Amino acid sequence: MRPRKLLIVDGYNDEPGGLGVPPYIDVYARYMAGAVFDVDKAAKAHYITIDELRKRPNPAQLLRLYEAIIFIAGVVVPGKYIGGRPATAEELASIASSLEGPLKVLVGPAARWGMGPEGGSAGYPPSFFKAHGFDVLVTGDPEEYVYDLVKYGEEAASPRAIREDYSKVNRFAVLGASIVRFHPNFGKNLIAEIETYRGCARWVSGGCSFCVEPLRGRPIARDPMAIVEEVRALYEVGVRNFRLGRQADILVYNSSQLGSEEWPRPSPQELERLFHGIRTEAPNLEVLHIDNVNPGTIARYPEESTEALKVIVKYHTPGDVAALGVESVDPQVVKLNNLKVTADEALKAIEIINRVGASRGYNGLPELLPGINFILGLPGERRESYRLNREFLEEILRRKLLVRRVNVRKILALPTTRVYNMRWGISGKLEAEAKSFTYFVRHVFDRTELSWVAPKDTIMKSLWVEECELGYCYARQVGSYPLMVMIRGSYPRLQYIDAVRVERVHSARAVEGSVTQTEPG
């Protein structure tokens, strides 16, 4: 069978190098739709999110209209989501096992890595989905499989096929840009995640024990002009918000040492080509943000990293966040898990980002601030680990350095990662320390930082209402890790608010504010 009518069901993904939970749309759906159109422009590749599918009284009636259903799913980096609710393993199994007729294909982290255990809970390996109704699990690159499926048929399409370079992707990304029109956030606060390279430079040493990115093998980078062409295609369709988030470390994008050195030297010149090109082809974009930055790169190459960060600030939009995977500053944990930085190196990286990006931008927030990621339950963790992590954060406060947010997660151990076969998880003896550390982060560190990042009477511009309850609405700017603003009253979901005046810090993740001006969305 060579299907000509396919439906892509976006069950959302969250990975170290890629986010696809609304308001984000990741690359999977766009690449796969482009692969279909590349083979046959008359073929149908439709798109629906899992949230929209849930709203239908009889989802199976829709699904049976197609010859092939491709489900995207897999949360590898768990978080709390407001814009959408990711598909669960049980939900996917229920849909697939009850659906007869179409070819049922699973792609994304769920198919490749499974849905892993967090903090010691049971997980769902890929075999679970194979046993519960799915015909094909794509463990390679989804667009490669879909291309061969549509062109040659099911028997000739290998679910393990891996792209050797970006030649096909560069075509597919442009052809599949139109799929974004079917996303419920299109024309509002939709953010297109853009891939700059795949994998992690630290694959040379195996990378961090828990991370899947090094498992992708030698990193390969996209040509800057190919990325610019994709942005132009999305811009022409109507996308105005972009995030260069699908990479392990934006600072080493297209470095001549990427793929051969564990710690490539940043190339500010390549970042200049990329960002200048994007701004040229999308002149009236509203948001251009980044995501991952390796603090070890900044610590090892402070001068080149400073220049690279200056390029980003020159072309991006304010309110940007450089997410730093610190994970732990306990030397024992760092060594056992092959982490990136010591406490002093992490502080150095945070100071450099502050020097470049702490000035306040036109939307009311600082230009570019660090975000910090911690993981609890890593192998080697001890009581001392929590003391050292807390002292690290206390030192940040003492130096009055700005940090946009801190993520504290329990380890999620996937069967394919090294950490899975190590002793991991928060031991019963350390549960009190874990709770105490998390309390300090949320009730002391976060609140203090929020009072500095968005002090009273700050005017925050261009927000979108995401949900309302109990007399308050929750609104955010578009971008990487946007600050939540609680507004008293009731507004329609996805209504645009022109400006809000900050009144006080409400919680670890939110401030309260009042509307100063609104415009129609």
Side-chain angles (χ1 to χ4, degrees):
M1 178 188 72
R2 292 189 295 166
R4 289 298 181 271
K5 193 173 183 183
L6 302 89
L7 178 65
I8 299 169
V9 178
D10 196 344
Y12 314 142
N13 62 289
D14 192 351
E15 307 167 64
L19 177 59
V21 184
Y24 288 88
I25 183 168
D26 207 349
V27 301
Y28 291 115
R30 287 149 37 205
Y31 290 179
M32 290 190 293
V36 173
F37 301 146
D38 191 68
V39 173
D40 183 354
K41 290 181 173 56
K44 305 294 184 185
H46 294 161
Y47 172 91
I48 188 171
T49 66
I50 188 68
D51 285 313
E52 293 297 303
L53 188 67
R54 291 176 182 130
K55 293 177 184 177
R56 290 180 169 262
N58 188 358
Q61 187 175 30
L62 170 69
L63 300 179
R64 282 194 292 266
L65 296 176
Y66 294 87
E67 297 169 290
I69 313 293
I70 305 170
F71 294 83
I72 304 166
V75 170
V76 178
V77 184
K80 294 182 179 179
Y81 309 105
I82 294 178
R85 181 164 59 89
T88 65
E90 296 92 338
E91 183 178 27
L92 291 167
S94 175
I95 295 172
S97 59
S98 63
L99 180 64
E100 295 183 4
L103 178 71
K104 293 160 287 186
V105 181
L106 182 65
V107 308
R112 189 166 188 181
W113 321 114
M115 290 188 175
E118 178 187 359
S121 61
Y124 299 89
S127 58
F128 169 83
F129 301 102
K130 192 71 173 178
H132 287 80
F134 281 95
D135 302 304
V136 180
L137 304 184
V138 176
T139 56
D141 287 311
E143 74 280 355
E144 291 281 343
Y145 173 79
V146 170
Y147 179 82
D148 288 344
L149 174 68
V150 177
K151 188 168 186 176
Y152 304 114
E154 183 182 350
E155 294 76 16
S158 170
R160 295 181 295 277
I162 300 289
R163 74 173 80 115
E164 296 179 358
D165 55 39
Y166 277 105
S167 56
K168 286 183 184 175
V169 163
N170 292 337
R171 297 199 314 270
F172 299 165
V174 172
L175 290 170
S178 60
I179 204 80
V180 301
R181 293 177 299 173
F182 299 102
H183 196 285
N185 295 72
F186 177 71
K188 301 288 186 180
N189 60 341
L190 182 68
I191 311 171
E193 187 89 325
I194 304 294
E195 182 175 10
T196 62
Y197 70 87
R198 78 176 313 161
C200 174
R202 300 189 66 232
W203 80 292
V204 174
S205 68
C208 299
S209 65
F210 56 87
C211 190
V212 299
E213 290 302 308
L215 303 179
R216 301 183 189 276
R218 183 187 298 273
I220 54 172
R222 294 178 72 188
D223 181 84
M225 293 306 102
I227 298 171
V228 170
E229 284 293 309
E230 179 186 6
V231 169
R232 179 170 68 178
L234 290 163
Y235 185 81
E236 289 176 349
V237 172
V239 176
R240 292 294 179 268
N241 308 308
F242 304 90
R243 186 174 82 156
L244 305 179
R246 217 170 216 290
Q247 71 282 308
D249 179 9
I250 187 64
L251 297 188
V252 301
Y253 164 71
N254 229 19
S255 166
S256 61
Q257 298 174 335
L258 182 63
S260 59
E261 299 289 335
E262 181 178 5
W263 300 102
R265 189 180 299 273
S267 177
Q269 296 81 10
E270 288 300 300
L271 286 173
E272 175 80 26
R273 289 179 63 202
L274 175 60
F275 277 84
H276 178 266
I278 290 173
R279 280 299 205 166
T280 300
E281 296 299 332
N284 295 314
L285 61 77
E286 294 171 6
V287 171
L288 178 58
H289 280 181
I290 64 167
D291 187 18
N292 299 313
V293 168
N294 189 331
T297 300
I298 302 177
R300 287 164 176 81
Y301 302 108
E303 294 181 6
E304 294 90 340
S305 296
T306 297
E307 293 307 308
L309 291 165
K310 286 180 179 178
V311 169
I312 293 169
V313 170
K314 177 181 176 182
Y315 290 107
H316 80 159
T317 57
D320 206 352
V321 177
L324 307 179
V326 174
E327 327 308 357
S328 174
V329 296
D330 179 350
Q332 175 173 295
V333 178
V334 171
K335 183 177 181 179
L336 274 174
N337 295 277
N338 196 29
L339 303 183
K340 309 172 191 75
V341 284
T342 65
D344 288 342
E345 289 170 337
L347 285 168
K348 183 177 182 179
I350 291 167
E351 284 184 326
I352 288 174
I353 296 172
N354 267 248
R355 283 204 297 269
V356 175
S359 60
R360 202 163 292 273
Y362 59 78
N363 67 356
L365 292 183
E367 289 281 351
L368 174 66
L369 294 182
I372 301 174
N373 298 337
F374 284 103
I375 294 181
L376 309 186
L378 286 166
E381 190 175 87
R382 49 188 175 160
R383 186 169 285 105
E384 181 83 348
S385 306
Y386 290 96
R387 181 183 67 80
L388 292 169
N389 289 341
R390 175 166 174 159
E391 288 178 354
F392 168 71
L393 293 179
E394 288 173 338
E395 181 62 18
I396 291 173
L397 295 179
R398 190 188 70 78
R399 298 187 191 187
K400 292 194 170 359
L401 296 170
L402 296 183
V403 171
R404 169 57 197 90
R405 59 99 184 119
V406 175
N407 282 343
V408 180
R409 300 185 177 105
K410 294 179 182 178
I411 184 171
L412 188 152
L414 294 166
T416 45
T417 57
R418 293 198 319 280
V419 78
Y420 190 80
N421 295 316
M422 301 166 70
R423 291 176 60 88
W424 55 271
I426 300 173
S427 73
K429 295 179 180 178
L430 296 179
E431 285 182 1
E433 281 76 8
K435 289 180 180 178
S436 176
F437 175 70
T438 304
Y439 184 90
F440 169 78
V441 171
R442 297 289 171 251
H443 292 270
V444 179
F445 186 87
D446 280 349
R447 286 173 175 264
T448 302
E449 286 288 348
L450 268 188
S451 71
W452 295 345
V453 172
K456 187 176 186 298
D457 293 329
T458 296
I459 303 296
M460 294 179 58
K461 297 182 179 179
S462 305
L463 298 90
W464 291 89
V465 175
E466 299 214 13
E467 66 177 28
C468 297
E469 63 179 13
L470 303 176
Y472 281 93
C473 286
Y474 301 88
R476 298 192 294 186
Q477 296 172 325
V478 180
S480 292
Y481 311 101
L483 173 59
M484 183 67 68
V485 182
M486 295 181 61
I487 304 166
R488 193 177 298 278
S490 180
Y491 298 87
R493 186 175 182 272
L494 294 183
Q495 177 173 330
Y496 178 81
I497 295 177
D498 184 63
V500 168
R501 183 185 300 276
V502 174
E503 295 175 349
R504 71 182 186 94
V505 173
H506 173 79
S507 65
R509 295 299 179 92
V511 296
E512 284 190 36
S514 56
V515 176
T516 61
Q517 183 180 351
T518 60
E519 295 178 359

